């Protein structure tokens, strides 16, 4: 009964045809690609930057602090505009192979998102590293571990446990921020919704549907991170549960 | 001298629009946050349900999508209502849904959800003994809320309010997308016309940086004042 009803509804519907659904699907793929890539690259750079940020020498930690302060203190939209419009203005870039890459809006957006999420992630990891209990480091030193081994075996794994909750918020935040990619002509989920809105002049259908898509993505992320958190913090669970 | 090519006054007006927008949305968000927190902590199951679905819904949807929905959908919705009023009562009623109003409503609604969580946590941090003491003095519910709960929870809520304000300030940049001539919009038009992106976006970025840095200092000062009577642990 349900499929009949659904088929009838689709039959009478001008907006949700196979073509627009495909457009939304392609937008979803672009959004997921963009967010996934920027998060992975951002995380890879954030770990060493966070370690540098905790170094006592101000000439080492200062520049990292400046970078994170700059990118956390300004809107992502401005960062995106500066990179998107600015890249074309670099003298001589149009003759190099970089132009082939940066002519597409996808890569400037990826660069802006990566720099932004990397700044936030650096601060999250730094906070977790700084709050490592002293005893853990003393014990590692007593065992004669070198700095590198201490970092790798004790500090970073313990920091990861403390950082995962704040990081899950950052991931969801990034998914939501990625909607502004549609401003620089990328057809992501929001871009698809804007195209469909302007074709049918149907704001409720276009934007409520896309809001539901984002909500589904958000809840998937929340679920995955809750599983991850349970896995990482299972030693803290009360006995017997 | 730094030459803004005649866009200086426009940029300044844009900055004023940004600040107005930020403060109005903050006021709306604080009001919604207080109502939401009171609803979440109340005994009424309906109120808890409404408040919970509000915060869940808002946190699942990007701010830009919400803003586009309110801006484009708001006008269509208003038109439907005015058509209905014309058809039934023959009263001519027209209301232009401008980007400023949709910006304030959207940002206020979004941050109202975050403020709800902040206030809820802060209310829970008020000692139960304080509430019991108020009851023992014969305070009514409303009296307890206003005289005991709110003044004491503000101290706990302040860091959260500060964080939300910092994020809110940066979110205001999004209204340039729905056509409000704030500072980002002016900078974008100037950058396109003069083909000098760095020249216009970097000053605007520094205005935002100055605003966030200034509010950071102000929040620190407020926090110090709010904790005057409290012994710091370290």
């Amino acid at each position: 009964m349900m499929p009949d009803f659904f088929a009838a509804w689709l039959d009478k519907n001008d907006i949700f045809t196979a073509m627009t659904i495909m457009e939304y699907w392609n937008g979803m793929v672009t959004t997921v690609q963009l967010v996934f890539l920027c998060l992975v690259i951002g995380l890879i750079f954030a770990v060493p930057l966070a370690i540098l940020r905790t170094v006592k020498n101000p000439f080492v930690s200062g520049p990292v602090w400046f970078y994170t302060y700059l990118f956390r203190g300004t809107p992502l939209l401005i960062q995106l505009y500066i990179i998107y419009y600015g890249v074309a203005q670099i003298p001589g870039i149009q003759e190099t192979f970089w132009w082939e890459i940066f002519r597409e809006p996808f890569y400037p957006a990826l660069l802006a998102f990566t720099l932004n999420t990397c700044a936030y992630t650096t601060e999250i990891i730094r906070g977790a590293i700084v709050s490592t209990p002293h005893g853990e480091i003393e014990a590692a030193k007593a065992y004669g571990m070198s700095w590198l081994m201490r970092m790798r075996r004790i500090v970073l794994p313990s920091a990861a446990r403390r950082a995962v909750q704040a990081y899950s918020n950052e991931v969801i935040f990034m998914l939501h921020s990625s909607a502004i990619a549609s401003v620089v002509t990328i057809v992501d989920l929001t871009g698809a919704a804007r195209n469909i809105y302007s074709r049918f002049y149907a704001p409720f259908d276009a934007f409520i549907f896309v809001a539901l898509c984002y909500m589904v993505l958000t809840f998937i992320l929340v679920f995955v991170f809750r599983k991850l958190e349970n896995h990482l913090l299972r030693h803290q669970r009360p006995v017997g549960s | 001298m730094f030459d803004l090519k005649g866009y200086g006054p426009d940029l300044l007006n844009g900055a004023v629009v940004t600040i107005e927008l930020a403060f109005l949305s903050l006021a709306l968000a604080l009001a919604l946050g207080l109502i939401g927190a009171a609803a979440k902590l109340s005994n009424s199951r309906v109120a808890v349900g409404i408040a919970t679905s509000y915060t869940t819904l808002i946190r699942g949807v990007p701010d830009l999508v919400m803003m586009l929905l309110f801006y484009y959908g708001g006008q269509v919705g208003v038109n439907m209502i005015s058509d209905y009023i014309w058809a039934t009562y023959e009263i001519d009623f027209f209301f232009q849904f401008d980007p400023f109003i949709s910006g304030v409503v959207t940002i206020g609604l979004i941050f109202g959800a975050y403020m709800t969580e902040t206030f809820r946590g802060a209310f829970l941090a008020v000692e139960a003994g304080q509430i019991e003491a108020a009851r023992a003095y014969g305070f009514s519910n409303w009296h307890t809320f206003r005289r005991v709960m709110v003044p004491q929870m503000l101290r706990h809520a302040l860091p959260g309010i500060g964080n939300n304000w910092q994020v809110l300030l940066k979110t205001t940049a999004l209204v340039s997308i729905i056509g409000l001539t704030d500072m980002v919009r002016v900078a974008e038009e100037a950058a396109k016309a003069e083909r000098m992106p760095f020249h216009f976006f970097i000053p605007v970025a520094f205005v935002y940086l100055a605003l966030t840095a200034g509010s950071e200092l102000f929040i620190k000062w407020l926090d110090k004042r709010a904790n005057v009577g409290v012994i710091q642990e370290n």
Side-chain angles (χ1 to χ4, degrees), chain A residues 66 69-78 81-83 85-87 89-90 120 172-173 175-177 179-183 190 194 197 201 203-204 207-208 210-212 214-216 218-219, chain B residues 56-65 68-69 72-77 79-80 114 167 169-170 173-174 176-177 184 188 191-192 195-198 201-202 204-206 208-209 212-213 216:
Chain A
F66 185 68
Y69 194 76
L70 214 60
F71 277 85
R72 294 186 320 141
T74 54
L76 176 58
L77 183 64
I78 302 226
Y81 278 150
I82 289 180
I83 292 172
Y85 291 118
V87 163
Q89 303 289 318
I90 297 171
Y120 281 97
I172 290 163
F173 206 72
L175 171 69
H176 290 175
S177 305
I180 65 167
S182 64
V183 178
T190 313
R194 292 174 81 172
Y197 159 73
Y201 192 59
F204 298 114
F207 292 119
I208 289 177
V210 90
L212 287 176
Y214 277 108
M215 224 182 269
V216 169
T218 309
F219 289 142
Chain B
T56 320
L57 212 68
I58 295 285
R59 285 188 299 175
V61 180
D63 21 22
L64 180 60
V65 172
L68 293 170
L69 179 65
Y72 294 123
Q75 190 61 60
V76 173
N79 289 351
M80 278 177 189
Y114 293 112
V167 182
L169 203 56
K170 284 174 265 166
L174 292 186
S176 65
I177 298 169
V184 183
E188 198 199 349
K192 272 184 188 160
R195 299 189 150 271
M196 297 168 111
F198 297 117
F201 284 124
I202 289 175
V204 170
F206 274 98
Y208 274 105
L209 206 59
T212 50
E216 204 182 320

Side-chain angles (χ1 to χ4, degrees), chain A residues 42-53 118 121-122 125 129 156:
Chain A
L43 187 61
I44 290 171
F45 282 102
V47 175
L49 282 174
I51 295 172
L52 289 179
R53 176 90 167 74
C118 183
T121 313
T122 301
I125 298 175
I129 290 178
L156 287 180

Side-chain angles (χ1 to χ4, degrees), chain B residues 78-162:
Chain B
V78 166
N79 289 351
M80 278 177 189
I81 293 169
S82 61
D83 280 355
Y84 173 78
I85 291 175
W86 176 245
T88 38
Y89 305 107
E90 301 214 337
I91 300 167
D92 201 2
F93 164 80
F94 184 72
F95 176 70
Q96 181 70 44
F97 211 79
D98 71 0
F100 189 83
I101 294 173
S102 19
V104 170
V105 169
T106 324
I107 297 174
L109 268 177
I110 292 168
F111 286 89
Y114 293 112
M115 292 291 185
T116 300
E117 296 301 331
T118 305
F119 284 137
R120 197 187 76 98
F123 275 127
L124 288 176
V126 177
E127 283 170 56
Q130 298 278 341
I131 299 156
E132 281 165 17
R135 286 272 152 72
Y137 271 105
F139 279 26
S140 67
N141 270 343
W142 166 246
H143 225 99
T144 315
F145 182 76
R146 214 185 72 80
R147 284 285 166 84
V148 180
M149 304 269 286
V150 171
Q152 295 202 57
M153 88 51 191
L154 271 182
R155 182 169 70 87
H156 298 289
L158 210 54
I161 295 175

Side-chain angles (χ1 to χ4, degrees), chain B residues 35-54:
Chain B
I35 297 170
K40 270 202 169 180
L41 294 170
S42 73
N43 294 324
S44 150
R45 219 181 254 176
V46 181
V48 174
I50 292 172
T52 309
S53 40
Y54 162 58

